[in-house]
Amino acid sequence: MALAKHSTFRRSAGLVSLLLTALVALLTFLSASPASADEANMDEPFRVSGNVQNKGEPLEDVLITVTGPGGYEVEVETDAEGKWRVGVPEEEEYEVTLDESTLPDGVAVVEGSNVRTVEVGPAGRVSTNFFIGVGERNVTSFFDQFVERLATGLNFGLMLALASIGASLVFGTTRLSNFAHAEMVTFGAVMAYFLSVAIALPIYLAIPLAVLLSGVFGLAMDAGLWRPLRRKGLGTVQLMIVSIGLSLALRYIFQFFIGGGTVQLPGSNSPQIPLFGAVSLSVIDIVSMAISIVVIAAFAFWLLRTRIGKATRAISDNPSLAAASGIDVDRVVRIVWIIAAGLAGLAGVLYAYYRPGIKWDMGAQILLLVFAAITLGGLGTAFGALVGSLIVGTLVEISSLWIPADLKYVGALVLLILILLFRPQGILGRRERIG
Amino acid sequence: MSSDVTPNAPRPKSTGLHSGPIQPGVAKVDPIIVADGIKRTFGGLTAVDVDHLEVPRHAITALIGPNGAGKTTLFNLLTGFDKPDAGTWSFDGQSLSGKPAYRVARMGQVRTFQLTKALGLLTVLENMKLGAKEQTGEKFWLSLFPGFWRRQEAAIEEKARELLVKFKLDAKEADFAASLSGGQRKLLEMARALMTDPTLVMLDEPMAGVNPALTQSLLDKILDLKDEGMTVLFVEHDMAMVRHIADWVVVMAEGRIVAEGPPADVMQNPAVIDAYLGAHQELDLGVVTGRHTADEVE
Amino acid sequence: MDWGQILSNTASSLIGPATIAYALAAIGLSVHFGYAGLINMGIAGFMAIGAYGYAISALTFGLPWWAGFLVGIGASIVFALILGIPTLRLRGDYLAIVTIAAAEVLRLLFLTGEFDDVTGSADGLSGYHASFRAANPIPDGTYGFGPWTYNANGWWVRILGIAIVAIVALIVWSLMRSPWGRVLKGIREDEDAVRALGKNVFAYKLQALMLGGVFGALGGIVYALPSAVNPGVYVTSLTFFVYTALLLGGAATIFGPILGSVIFWVLQTFLSNVLPALATSGILPVTSTQASTLRFVLVGVILMLIVIFSPQGILGNKKELTFVK
Ligand SMILES: Nc1ncnc2c1ncn2[C@@H]1O[C@H](COP(=O)(O)OP(=O)(O)OP(=O)(O)O)[C@@H](O)[C@H]1O
Ligand SMILES: [Mg+2]
């Protein structure tokens, strides 16, 4: 079906780019008139507020960004009295950043830095005031910002890759678009939490054990659900919807156990290591990247060199041929599930440090990015998924240099849509035969 | 088996279809399809590479060739289901290059598929009615008001029933098409194609999988189409059947047209024997194509 | 435990605005998924467009309520075009992923602080009821009996919503028994076969996407009518919940989506009342927050069970299985 209707395809591709251009124009138009909210997220239970003044005079329309655990991020602008207020979800530390480029020319934050850390205490509210005067601004050079984003993006991309490779292997061998892969990611993080916090194992034991448990979880899902369903001969769409049901069920089971908030793994506040200029990475970032790289390399060796790895690729290529040539498809698929779940679990642990924090729907937050990465690389090819993840990870981080942070996933999702538009069979996929 | 396809009263074949010496790509007196320089590759494999092909009007043309010769691919290209790397072709004097499949069908060039596409979740009668062209009731707004389409629907139903009787499917009209046998589905697909009142009918292996007892009546159906003024282009592996009904035969091998001509002549052509047999030149074509055992054919 | 209250709330949800909204969205999905075989995983996006279109028309442009309806409908048609033109040629599960991504993009655009003036970002929108309530023909007061006692505005929302459901169901019924519906069902099964018969498959799929999208938007509007537009509602889970309701009732049936939505909400309301009550009274050994989480676990499990064991749903015909391969 991908073959048909090429002429209308051209025409409509033109039409679509027209519509997209119009949409972009509309967005730029809308964003040209700055939003002026002096309050945001007021339905959250706790408050962070403050005041911005230049020698006692209030400053209006200064952009304040508050970030906190769980990827929480909100922006407000000061009102005519220089005041702002945001609601935050937890009693935790938050970082308040004043965007100096929104100050009038020639002035800067004079007491302390333009970035502050505040802690919401038992009172449930905290405030911080910025005093502005003539002075030097704290600017990070564009290059430094870029490098920092690139490093963060690579870290994120490697972590995504751990999740995507498994999902793509599962898709390749069983044609299942597994929505519950998100919950396999969360599972790893939740297990690490239970082992390290509830059972109080040291973290260097808790993480490998969590990954091991994830693998067992994958085995259980294959044996208890997916293999029987393959036997029953469910179509790909049916399987996909079953995975959606599973995803919902698991997600809320996690919420049942860890609640609706964010919980932290030990050591999530690791020290920053300055690299050069204003660029710094935390110890955790560096360790996390190293782990990802080692694991991915080991995985590549497995896929390329071992017998099972080769069989896996053969099945992805042509399942019936592989079965006919004596490969035990069920056994290979079982192993693929174990590996996919183990990798996803590890991704979950690393993601918990990256966000930072563990939340019941954390996997679902990156599921579409995982799909984007897989599609970008060509469905069902593990190395495609790796490349796709790195691209998506860096794209998400680097694009936030230009677009607001709360829209940073949009770039990756639009990319996903565009790939499917211009190469519906994926980058390495094949077209289907007609007739 | 060969006795099944021996006609009791053979109908006369159309002759004098070509002009000039017979060779691949020979011009036809009255061509309905003219194709030039059509090429389609899949990765490194050239599936179709046709320099020039004309299909004669009001005649039955068979397209034969070994498995993987590119017959189905050529069908897909001619009907707009696939897009060639290069080439132009026209139907009834109008260029078809780049036309989407549904427009090709609307112009009167309708096809069936090698892997049958009966719509199993519709009843046999609904399958047939779906074939009719220019239905008012298929327009979004008008479909909401039965007043606009009820009468046309009744006429379509009548026509569908007539065709179903002809194809001996009338007893099945209320059944879901999924309950039909493989051969019956082939029949249904062909009958459904005829609902569009085509000028050119393109059948991809209409006889494959059809019970030998049914083949004779199916062959008669194809001959009837010609009598009703339609042109037929069909793919078939069984040489006896080709010999029996085709007025003209086009032979493909490895994507190219290696020979064409009236059936009797083509079977003698060394290029054809080559293409089909390779080393086994002592065998008859009917044997190689798997429809007959050696002693049935003499 | 107050069983009277629990049963009364449950009975009330039979005709709750959320039930009506789900029914509309599920009918839209039945056109997409049930009849045309389009796996649209972005119905939440269509609902968001309806809700925001309606609220923004009133708040930003000061339009009357009926114009808000038209804006919501128009916007959903535009969204269907933007979504459909590039994606409708994609194979089943690809379409699912593109539509889910598009709905997510839309939600993030509604949620971002960038357009706070118009969308209210994380706070959503409220206070757009004046025109709609002014048009209420029911005199002030409280009407009804037992669990179904509502004030004039409550009845206005419900009556209008039910009327829309009835009209929409009638439209789908007329379409699906017509030759137009026949083409659509043909496409659901094998679009190449339909194409070979000279039907413009792409146009039909686009029409189906727009039609179902409009119904989804109407669902979003009804959802927004009684109180407020909250961006937290239009997440991917909403799409999954509507699918659950649809598949429960029967994807390729007229009344399936309505029945499914009613069952979904009656069950949800019952469980959300009874589970915490069981927890507080100590019958369930969990906290009441945990108890109310359980009902969503149940939704997931039910969705799996239907798809595995009864994909045609309660009202569907077993022979006419609706799943594209
Ligand atoms: N979608 C496709 N992708 C890759 N290769 C293809 C595709 N379609 C056809 N081919 C290749 O093109 C060649 C011609 O195929 P085609 O189906 O046209 O043969 P055919 O003459 O119809 O054979 P048969 O008599 O067996 O039906 C074959 O080698 C086939 O493998
Ligand atoms: Mg063929």
Side-chain angles (χ1 to χ4, degrees):
Chain A
M1 109 185 199
L3 295 178
K5 300 187 57 67
H6 273 270
S7 62
T8 43
F9 178 78
R10 285 269 161 77
R11 209 171 346 115
S12 52
L15 190 57
V16 169
S17 41
L18 202 75
L19 285 171
L20 283 179
T21 326
L23 192 70
V24 169
L26 181 71
L27 291 182
T28 14
F29 167 74
L30 283 175
S31 53
S33 61
S36 61
D38 54 339
E39 294 186 346
N41 291 8
M42 297 308 285
D43 49 350
E44 300 285 6
F46 306 107
R47 294 280 172 274
V48 179
S49 61
N51 231 318
V52 181
Q53 292 183 338
N54 182 7
K55 290 183 236 137
E57 286 296 307
L59 283 176
E60 197 180 351
D61 290 342
V62 179
L63 183 68
I64 305 281
T65 310
V66 180
T67 54
Y72 181 83
E73 175 155 342
V74 59
E75 291 182 351
V76 286
E77 287 181 359
T78 53
D79 63 8
E81 289 156 22
K83 291 198 170 113
W84 58 272
R85 221 146 65 95
V86 298
V88 293
E90 286 155 68
E91 283 185 30
E92 278 290 350
E93 281 193 352
Y94 288 87
E95 194 168 80
V96 180
T97 310
L98 183 149
D99 183 349
E100 293 193 312
S101 66
T102 57
L103 291 175
D105 283 342
V107 295
V109 176
V110 283
E111 282 173 37
S113 117
N114 69 320
V115 183
R116 307 259 173 89
T117 305
V118 297
E119 183 161 358
V120 180
R125 49 192 66 242
V126 61
S127 72
T128 178
N129 297 336
F130 288 100
F131 297 98
I132 310 294
V134 182
E136 279 292 299
R137 293 185 182 175
N138 298 310
V139 281
T140 313
S141 78
F142 180 79
F143 178 75
D144 283 357
Q145 282 187 33
F146 186 85
V147 172
E148 194 163 304
R149 290 290 173 180
L150 188 66
T152 326
L154 280 178
N155 184 15
F156 185 45
L158 284 167
M159 183 221 90
L160 266 185
L162 291 175
S164 317
I165 288 172
S168 121
L169 273 190
V170 167
F171 180 85
T173 48
T174 66
R175 299 289 129 189
L176 168 66
S177 309
N178 185 16
F179 279 70
H181 203 77
E183 277 56 46
M184 290 157 60
V185 170
T186 318
F187 183 85
V190 171
M191 283 304 126
Y193 174 73
F194 269 109
L195 293 171
S196 64
V197 176
I199 308 186
L201 282 183
I203 192 72
Y204 55 84
L205 277 182
I207 292 177
L209 263 179
V211 172
L212 204 72
L213 283 175
S214 298
V216 174
F217 182 50
L219 174 66
M221 279 198 295
D222 185 49
L225 182 66
W226 300 114
R227 193 162 43 138
L229 291 187
R230 281 200 299 280
R231 290 267 157 79
K232 203 165 183 271
L234 260 66
T236 51
V237 173
Q238 258 169 299
L239 287 176
M240 184 182 83
I241 300 179
V242 172
S243 84
I244 289 176
L246 180 63
S247 160
L248 282 179
L250 289 175
R251 204 183 290 184
Y252 287 101
I253 290 176
F254 295 143
Q255 195 192 52
F256 181 87
F257 286 108
I258 65 171
T262 303
V263 293
Q264 297 290 345
L265 283 177
S268 53
N269 301 317
S270 68
Q272 294 277 320
I273 299 180
L275 294 180
F276 64 88
V279 180
S280 65
L281 280 175
S282 72
V283 176
I284 291 226
D285 288 340
I286 293 167
V287 172
S288 153
M289 273 161 133
I291 292 179
S292 305
I293 291 172
V294 169
V295 170
I296 290 172
F299 167 80
F301 178 83
W302 173 80
L303 192 65
L304 293 174
R305 290 297 159 80
T306 65
R307 236 165 44 82
I308 300 281
K310 286 177 186 161
T312 307
R313 284 185 298 148
I315 294 173
S316 301
D317 211 44
N318 186 336
S320 36
L321 185 65
S325 56
I327 294 177
D328 181 353
V329 176
D330 263 344
R331 177 161 163 264
V332 174
V333 168
R334 187 159 61 234
I335 293 172
V336 162
W337 269 102
I338 297 174
I339 291 184
L343 290 175
L346 179 60
V349 174
L350 299 185
Y351 186 42
Y353 282 109
Y354 174 86
R355 294 176 74 235
I358 295 170
K359 212 172 162 216
W360 59 285
D361 65 347
M362 61 188 273
Q365 290 172 3
I366 54 164
L367 180 67
L368 286 180
L369 296 186
V370 168
F371 282 162
I374 298 174
T375 319
L376 182 63
L379 287 156
T381 64
F383 293 110
L386 170 62
V387 177
S389 303
L390 292 177
I391 296 177
V392 167
T394 43
L395 180 92
V396 162
E397 287 296 335
I398 290 180
S399 68
S400 63
L401 285 175
W402 294 280
I403 59 178
D406 55 2
L407 286 180
K408 67 181 181 183
Y409 287 175
V410 168
L413 296 181
V414 170
L415 183 71
L416 165 68
I417 296 172
L418 290 181
I419 300 158
L420 287 174
L421 166 54
F422 291 108
R423 259 196 93 81
Q425 70 275 39
I427 284 172
L428 303 176
R430 266 186 312 234
R431 293 171 161 181
E432 274 172 39
R433 175 191 165 97
I434 296 173
Chain B
M1 248 167 119
S2 22
S3 62
D4 291 339
V5 293
T6 309
N8 300 330
R11 297 187 224 188
K13 299 239 168 158
S14 309
T15 49
L17 298 167
H18 64 287
S19 59
I22 292 189
Q23 62 186 46
V26 59
K28 304 294 171 339
V29 178
D30 182 11
I32 189 162
I33 283 189
V34 181
D36 274 296
I38 297 196
K39 198 167 165 153
R40 175 72 166 104
T41 51
F42 294 105
L45 175 98
T46 306
V48 168
D49 184 5
V50 170
D51 289 332
H52 187 80
L53 172 67
E54 295 187 7
V55 177
R57 193 191 303 273
H58 297 317
I60 299 178
T61 304
L63 181 60
I64 65 171
N67 293 119
K71 306 179 294 292
T72 300
T73 309
L74 181 63
F75 258 49
N76 287 345
L77 293 170
L78 291 179
T79 50
F81 277 88
D82 194 357
K83 208 184 156 204
D85 305 341
T88 56
W89 66 104
S90 67
F91 168 72
D92 234 353
Q94 285 172 281
S95 170
L96 280 189
S97 318
K99 282 241 162 69
Y102 76 93
R103 280 187 193 272
V104 175
R106 280 185 193 173
M107 289 168 69
Q109 179 187 336
V110 68
R111 72 170 293 186
T112 64
F113 294 86
Q114 179 169 4
L115 302 171
T116 326
K117 291 184 183 293
L119 298 165
L121 304 185
L122 300 183
T123 67
V124 170
L125 188 63
E126 281 173 326
N127 260 284
M128 293 294 288
K129 290 199 280 191
L130 187 61
K133 282 209 282 201
E134 282 159 26
Q135 300 189 38
T136 323
E138 288 182 354
K139 299 205 169 67
F140 181 81
W141 293 109
L142 295 180
S143 71
L144 285 168
F145 309 101
F148 288 109
W149 47 264
R150 207 172 266 140
R151 187 171 307 170
Q152 190 191 27
E153 180 85 353
I156 291 171
E157 202 163 306
E158 191 174 329
K159 180 171 158 196
R161 291 222 163 89
E162 276 168 24
L163 270 171
L164 283 178
V165 172
K166 254 198 204 163
F167 280 79
K168 302 210 168 55
L169 287 171
D170 44 331
K172 300 266 178 193
E173 92 171 31
D175 296 3
F176 281 111
S179 69
L180 297 184
S181 74
Q184 285 171 326
R185 286 183 210 187
K186 284 259 169 205
L187 290 173
L188 174 61
E189 202 189 6
M190 200 165 133
R192 191 177 65 193
L194 296 181
M195 285 294 292
T196 65
D197 295 324
T199 5
L200 170 63
V201 187
M202 296 174 60
L203 308 168
D204 199 347
E205 305 205 12
M207 253 74 79
V210 174
N211 168 0
L214 264 174
T215 42
Q216 182 58 49
S217 88
L218 200 57
L219 290 180
D220 284 338
K221 298 282 159 2
I222 296 175
L223 287 166
D224 289 346
L225 298 182
K226 184 173 106 177
D227 293 346
E228 287 162 30
M230 289 174 231
T231 305
V232 179
L233 174 63
F234 75 110
V235 174
E236 183 49 57
H237 282 293
D238 187 321
M239 293 306 146
M241 294 183 192
V242 170
R243 206 180 283 145
H244 174 34
I245 60 166
D247 304 313
W248 192 263
V249 179
V250 177
V251 188
M252 281 184 85
E254 292 170 7
R256 301 174 167 279
I257 294 180
V258 292
E260 52 178 301
D265 302 356
V266 161
M267 308 283 169
Q268 311 301 324
N269 189 325
V272 179
I273 299 179
D274 232 34
Y276 262 96
L277 303 177
H280 312 282
Q281 305 217 346
E282 71 283 3
L283 294 176
D284 180 278
L285 287 181
V287 180
V288 178
T289 53
R291 290 264 172 155
H292 308 276
T293 52
D295 44 66
E296 271 183 322
V297 183
E298 21 80 276
Chain C
M1 269 174 36
D2 183 356
W3 279 103
Q5 187 59 39
I6 290 172
L7 291 179
S8 159
N9 287 347
T10 305
S12 173
S13 72
L14 262 179
I15 54 166
T19 311
I20 299 171
Y22 267 53
L24 284 168
I27 294 175
L29 260 192
S30 79
V31 173
H32 291 160
F33 178 74
Y35 292 107
L38 301 172
I39 311 174
N40 171 22
M41 284 284 163
I43 196 72
F46 283 100
M47 296 175 76
I49 291 234
Y52 276 96
Y54 175 76
I56 290 174
S57 313
L59 292 172
T60 307
F61 301 102
L63 297 179
W65 67 278
W66 52 267
F69 269 70
L70 293 183
V71 169
I73 290 172
S76 69
I77 291 178
V78 173
F79 184 56
L81 285 172
I82 295 181
L83 194 62
I85 290 174
T87 59
L88 281 179
R89 64 181 55 76
L90 298 182
R91 219 188 56 203
D93 40 357
Y94 287 17
L95 181 64
I97 290 172
V98 169
T99 46
I100 202 171
E104 226 11 45
V105 168
L106 202 64
R107 183 179 71 87
L108 291 171
L109 288 177
F110 283 130
L111 187 62
T112 173
E114 283 299 290
F115 315 126
D116 186 70
D117 282 354
V118 181
T119 60
S121 61
D123 303 332
L125 296 169
S126 57
Y128 44 76
H129 302 293
S131 161
F132 179 71
R133 290 188 180 158
N136 188 356
I138 307 167
D140 271 346
T142 308
Y143 307 89
F145 62 92
W148 299 284
T149 310
Y150 310 107
N151 65 17
N153 286 327
W155 277 113
W156 179 214
V157 171
R158 284 171 176 79
I159 289 172
L160 193 73
I162 290 171
I164 297 175
V165 170
I167 294 170
V168 160
L170 183 70
I171 291 176
V172 175
W173 176 76
S174 331
L175 282 171
M176 293 313 158
R177 62 162 191 164
S178 80
W180 188 87
R182 190 162 63 213
V183 178
L184 212 59
K185 289 182 212 163
I187 292 172
R188 172 179 74 191
E189 205 182 330
D190 191 333
E191 53 181 78
D192 281 330
V194 178
R195 202 172 270 139
L197 295 171
K199 320 287 177 198
N200 185 352
V201 168
F202 180 71
Y204 281 96
K205 291 211 272 186
L206 201 55
Q207 285 171 358
L209 191 68
M210 290 193 282
L211 182 73
V214 166
F215 298 164
L218 283 171
I221 295 175
V222 171
Y223 213 109
L225 273 185
S227 56
V229 180
N230 172 2
V233 167
Y234 305 95
V235 292
T236 48
S237 311
L238 175 62
T239 298
F240 301 158
F241 291 160
V242 176
Y243 260 94
T244 308
L246 172 72
L247 293 169
L248 191 61
T253 60
I254 305 293
F255 293 108
I258 302 174
L259 178 67
S261 305
V262 169
I263 297 178
F264 182 92
W265 272 104
V266 166
L267 201 65
Q268 281 286 309
T269 317
F270 177 71
L271 292 178
S272 70
N273 280 282
V274 90
L275 288 175
L278 286 177
T280 26
S281 62
I283 301 174
L284 274 182
V286 294
T287 69
S288 67
T289 345
Q290 281 180 323
S292 51
T293 311
L294 284 176
R295 70 197 154 108
F296 293 111
V297 177
L298 192 72
V299 172
V301 172
I302 287 179
L303 180 57
M304 286 165 74
L305 292 179
I306 310 167
V307 177
I308 296 172
F309 295 108
S310 172
Q312 75 279 6
I314 296 174
L315 297 179
N317 175 352
K318 184 114 196 170
K319 274 203 198 121
E320 196 188 348
L321 283 184
T322 54
F323 281 94
V324 269
K325 281 289 168 241

